[in-house]
Every structure is written in structure tokens, then in C-alpha cells.
Amino acid sequence: MGDIQALRGTRDILPEEVNYWQQVETVAKEILTKAAYTEIRPPIFEQTALFERGIGEATDVVSKEMYTFRDRGDRSCTLRPEGTAGVVRAFIEHGLQSQGVQRLWYTGPMFRYERPQAGRQRQFHQIGLELLGSPSPLADVETIALATDILERLGLQHLTLELNSVGDASDRQRYRAALVEYLTPYKDQLDADSQDRLTSNPLRILDSKDEQTQAILEKAPRLLDYLGEESRQHFEQVKAQLTALGIDYKLNPNLVRGLDYYTHTAFEIQSADLGAQATVCGGGRYDGLVSQLGGDDTPAMGWAIGMERLILLLKQLKDPPDPRLDFYMASRGDRAPAQALILAQKLRHQGFRVELDLSGSRFQKQFKRADRSGAVACLILGDAEADQGTVNLKWMATQEQSVLKQNQLLANSEELRQQIWQAAHQE
Ligand code: ATP
Ligand code: MG
């Protein structure tokens, strides 16, 4: 092994795993496109101030997880720890608010300096979505429904949608006061982080994993009891509409998201099959963020799916995504390899997946590789076949062989496709 290795908390996605990633990207893109969401690709690094102002300085993300550096022009830059702030910056910068409701999605790497463990990395990936410009509770439900659609289409089970409302800024202000008043007498018994948060960001204490803190919280005032009339109505409509769509949810009054910009609906989709890092998708409404970043007051709702956690789940499923190769193309001789490439290209143009053996080694060796490749059939071309314009087709499962005219093979692609499908689904 060389002495330079990938940085702690980063991973190579190797060819054997990449099918899972592509499957997720394909399914997400298809489902989001059908709902009229379009992709947006903001840069991976931004001015540090964007995240400080957008996410909130007292959050874990900004206070201790950001990759911040000075560039050669002495600007403070930060590798994006999440996608929403950049999307909102682009939304404001390009005047997208004047174009009505915007439905956007993104995917790509995010960076947070965290302790690496299963499902938690320093470079990780998200697929996320933002619906900007609608205050309607139906917007909340549309986005949640799309998240559940994606996860369900991928075949995931044992998922729970946890739901809460964190109200608007004034609800939270009243609640914060009540929570601080309740917790202050217990200050010495809270975990160290929560003691700090009592002054900096008391709502985050609700999210503490510490058992003693959790026990103290059991009798704490509930955020849901502090919602104003408008917030309550919004939340009632979200719940009713989820029910109407047949989407089950579990109320979790302690659900507060890690970023400060959330208002009203907050949700997480948890998996029972993930252990400690159980949240696959998190999101909520963030009506204050656009104006906080200097845009016109714009209501918005969004979520992000953690790709690494999703892929851990996909790997537990019985049927892995289909990386199936249709043909392995073996050839040997003076003229055969060059012709094999031409035939391979023609088959690829017809939509078949073809791997070309370039080794020129003995056929026996090439057949071994054909076996290992998982191809459904092997096409074999020696100089004799090349001269006659024929090819030997061998089905891997039965070892049945036949000699065909190359033209005939290419002319009957539909039949060939069916034969391949049948052969692949026989075992
Ligand atoms: P957690 O509580 O697990 O740290 P979070 O609240 O910080 O999550 P969000 O900022 O809401 O997470 O990000 C949305 C999703 O992105 C998470 O639910 C998770 O699936 C994924 N995610 C967040 N941080 C990481 C990470 N360091 N490594 C891998 N995935 C992550
Ligand atoms: Mg986190």
C-alpha cells in the first residue's frame, strides 16, 4: 500500500458499489422530474458568511463541523456542509423569486468535520429538494410524499416518518423562555453540551442523546403547547393531508432539526435497520431563511436524504440493483479482435451491455473471465468467423452454442433482448 491514503472520514466509491449510487440517482431524478422539480448545481464552496448567517452560528454545524479555509486572496471560504444555503443564495442572486414557485433539487458531496462511524463521514453525499415560494401546508406534504416515494420505490422497509412543528419565530421565542425557566434549576445535572446550549441555543437540548438530560426533559414544557393559532392550523392541515395520502407518521414533540432556519413542519424519516445513525432523510419548512439571507420574504420547504445511509440500507436488501452485462465478447486472431470491436459497438448502439476482452489471450482464459463477468452470453470471434461474417453465441447458463451471421444477430435485436431476459431470469 502506498503511504498516501484517503483522508479519515472520506471514502472511495468503487466500481462494485457504484451501481447502488446510480440506482438511487436514477430513481430520485425520475420521481422528482415527474413532479416538475429541476436540478440546480451550486458550487461546492461558498463564502463562510453564507453558512454562518444561514445555518446559525450556534449550531453544531457552524460552530464545530465546517471545513473553513482562507484562499490565496485571503477570503474565508467553506466547503458546503449542506445544500440549502447555497440553493437559497443562488435563488436570491439570480432573481428566481420573480419567476413564481421554484421546485429545485440537487445532489452532491457535503463536508462536515465529525467523528466518522457507520453512516457518518466527513465527506458525505445528499440528494435534496427545495420548494420555494409556497406557504401552503400542501407544499410541506408534497415534498414529504416525494421523499417517501423515492425511499419506497427503492424497496426500503421499516421506515418511520417522525413529525413535529417547531412553530414560527414568536412561538419559539415564548417556548424558549419557558424551556429555559424549566431547565435552569437542573442546570448542573444536564450534560456538558446542553449546559452550554442553555444560553446559546436551548431548543437544541431537546435533541440531546444523554439519558439523564432526556429524563429531565420528560416533564419539560412541550413546544406543541406553545404554537400560536396559525402554526397550529398549519400543522393540523399537514397531518390531515398526510393521512389523506395514506402516509403514516409518528408525532415526536422533541424533534428539532440541527439547523436554525426551520419553522413549522420538521420531519425525519428513520430506519429501524440502521443502528445509531438512523435518520435517512431530514427536512422541514424554513420560511425565514430567504429573507435572512437578504432576499424577499419567501416561504420554503425542503429536505435532504443522506446517500451513504440509504446505500447501507439498499445493501441489506435481497435484490441488488441490476449491473448485468448482456454479452462478454471474446476474440482472438489477426482480424477477429478488430471486428469484435465493431460488432460490440453495434450491439451497444442497440442498447446491449457488452464488455470487450482486449487481452488477446487464449480463448480458455477469456472464457474464465466471461464466467466471472456475470454476462448472460458470450460472443466468440476467431479469424474463421471474422472471415465469414459469423459469430459464435454461447449462453453461459446452459453452455448451449450456435453459430450465427453477425448481420442476422444485429437484425433480430428484439428477439435477442427477449432471449437474454429469459436466460437472465431462469436461475
Ligand atoms: P444527524 O443528526 O445524523 O447528524 P443532521 O441532523 O446533522 O443528522 P441534516 O443536516 O438534516 O442531518 O442532513 C440530512 C441527512 O444527511 C441526515 O439525515 C443524514 O442522513 C445525512 N447526513 C448528515 N450528516 C452526515 C454525515 N456526517 N455523514 C453521512 N450522512 C450525513
Ligand atoms: Mg449532524
Side-chain angles (χ1 to χ4, degrees):
M1 198 182 342
D3 59 350
I4 298 183
Q5 293 170 19
L7 284 168
R8 187 165 143 77
T10 71
R11 278 182 73 238
D12 297 302
I13 298 162
L14 295 174
E16 67 205 32
E17 195 188 275
V18 84
N19 285 307
Y20 290 100
W21 290 77
Q22 292 173 342
Q23 186 198 23
V24 171
E25 286 155 7
T26 306
V27 165
K29 180 174 171 185
E30 191 190 311
I31 288 177
L32 297 176
T33 304
K34 282 196 179 132
Y37 287 71
T38 51
E39 189 181 357
I40 180 166
R41 301 188 184 186
I44 283 174
F45 66 116
E46 299 264 5
Q47 287 183 42
T48 302
L50 172 66
F51 303 113
E52 286 173 347
R53 221 189 297 162
I55 300 171
E57 305 209 39
T59 59
D60 282 355
V61 171
V62 172
S63 65
K64 49 189 183 203
E65 296 175 358
M66 293 208 302
Y67 277 90
T68 297
F69 59 96
R70 296 219 157 250
D71 71 4
R72 286 167 194 271
D74 206 31
R75 300 170 194 87
S76 181
C77 309
T78 295
L79 300 183
R80 63 182 183 195
E82 55 96 59
T84 303
V87 171
V88 168
R89 185 211 32 79
F91 173 85
I92 297 168
E93 189 168 328
H94 302 286
L96 300 183
Q97 63 250 63
S98 65
Q99 297 171 27
V101 168
Q102 293 286 308
R103 290 182 161 90
L104 303 168
W105 68 276
Y106 59 84
T107 183
M110 309 290 160
F111 305 85
R112 295 184 194 177
Y113 193 80
E114 298 197 74
R115 194 167 68 78
Q117 47 199 297
R120 191 177 293 288
Q121 294 174 203
R122 291 179 176 171
Q123 174 172 337
F124 63 101
H125 299 76
Q126 291 183 334
I127 286 188
L129 150 168
E130 318 292 352
L131 200 178
L132 295 126
S134 171
S136 165
L138 299 185
D140 306 27
V141 177
E142 172 175 292
T143 60
I144 294 173
L146 289 169
T148 56
D149 274 354
I150 292 172
L151 299 176
E152 274 170 21
R153 173 83 80 76
L154 288 166
L156 299 193
Q157 290 159 347
H158 315 128
L159 299 174
T160 313
L161 168 63
E162 297 210 343
L163 192 68
N164 193 21
S165 170
V166 298
D168 62 19
S170 77
D171 302 339
R172 270 208 308 282
Q173 208 165 355
R174 281 184 289 127
Y175 175 66
R176 189 178 297 124
L179 184 66
V180 170
E181 187 180 305
Y182 169 81
L183 286 175
T184 303
Y186 297 103
K187 180 165 184 195
D188 296 340
Q189 296 162 48
L190 298 175
D191 61 280
D193 268 353
S194 296
Q195 292 190 14
D196 291 345
R197 286 172 174 152
L198 201 52
T199 43
S200 67
N201 200 352
L203 261 66
R204 297 288 309 148
I205 297 174
L206 298 179
D207 201 30
S208 167
K209 303 289 179 282
D210 182 81
E211 272 182 30
Q212 198 178 337
T213 302
Q214 276 302 328
I216 293 169
L217 283 171
E218 261 168 39
K219 295 214 172 65
R222 295 275 178 216
L223 183 44
L224 286 177
D225 298 328
Y226 284 74
L227 298 186
E229 186 51 28
E230 208 185 312
S231 300
R232 259 189 352 93
Q233 272 190 20
H234 186 98
F235 196 43
E236 289 308 316
Q237 288 175 43
V238 168
K239 289 188 289 185
Q241 193 67 28
L242 284 170
T243 303
L245 277 177
I247 298 174
D248 292 332
Y249 59 84
K250 197 176 125 210
L251 290 182
N252 175 355
N254 284 346
L255 178 73
V256 283
R257 311 269 318 123
L259 316 174
D260 274 354
Y261 49 59
Y262 286 107
T263 53
H264 297 294
T265 311
F267 78 96
E268 288 187 351
I269 300 177
Q270 312 259 356
S271 164
D273 304 329
L274 269 180
Q277 265 54 251
T279 309
V280 192
C281 176
R285 182 165 273 287
Y286 54 94
D287 290 346
L289 183 62
V290 180
S291 59
Q292 198 176 312
L293 289 175
D296 298 341
D297 215 356
T298 308
M301 171 81 196
W303 51 249
I305 289 176
M307 293 277 277
E308 276 76 8
R309 294 182 197 180
L310 180 51
I311 283 162
L312 286 174
L313 289 173
L314 288 181
K315 286 182 174 170
Q316 295 174 14
L317 295 179
K318 268 205 316 293
D319 298 318
D322 189 8
R324 195 195 68 224
L325 204 56
D326 298 317
F327 295 113
Y328 192 89
M329 174 85 80
S331 67
R332 182 173 162 82
D334 294 328
R335 299 171 299 286
Q339 210 176 86
L341 171 58
I342 294 171
L343 182 58
Q345 277 295 85
K346 287 183 176 161
L347 287 165
R348 290 166 183 161
H349 293 162
Q350 295 190 344
F352 295 103
R353 297 189 200 173
V354 187
E355 179 171 343
L356 185 64
D357 192 308
L358 292 168
S359 67
S361 52
R362 285 184 295 113
F363 272 126
Q364 285 315 318
K365 279 196 165 172
Q366 296 195 41
F367 294 160
K368 283 213 178 96
R369 282 194 286 269
D371 267 336
R372 278 200 304 267
S373 77
V376 181
C378 186
L379 290 167
I380 306 155
L381 205 72
D383 281 341
E385 286 83 8
D387 292 341
Q388 290 158 23
T390 58
V391 64
N392 195 337
L393 170 65
K394 179 165 98 178
W395 297 97
M396 303 304 286
T398 60
Q399 299 287 300
E400 256 173 73
Q401 295 197 28
S402 52
V403 177
L404 300 166
K405 282 270 179 208
Q406 290 177 27
N407 285 342
Q408 197 188 338
L409 184 80
L410 291 166
N412 295 314
S413 63
E414 269 326 303
E415 194 185 325
L416 194 59
R417 219 180 298 284
Q418 278 175 22
Q419 287 176 322
I420 286 178
W421 193 89
Q422 277 164 7
H425 291 81
Q426 235 156 34
E427 297 107 65

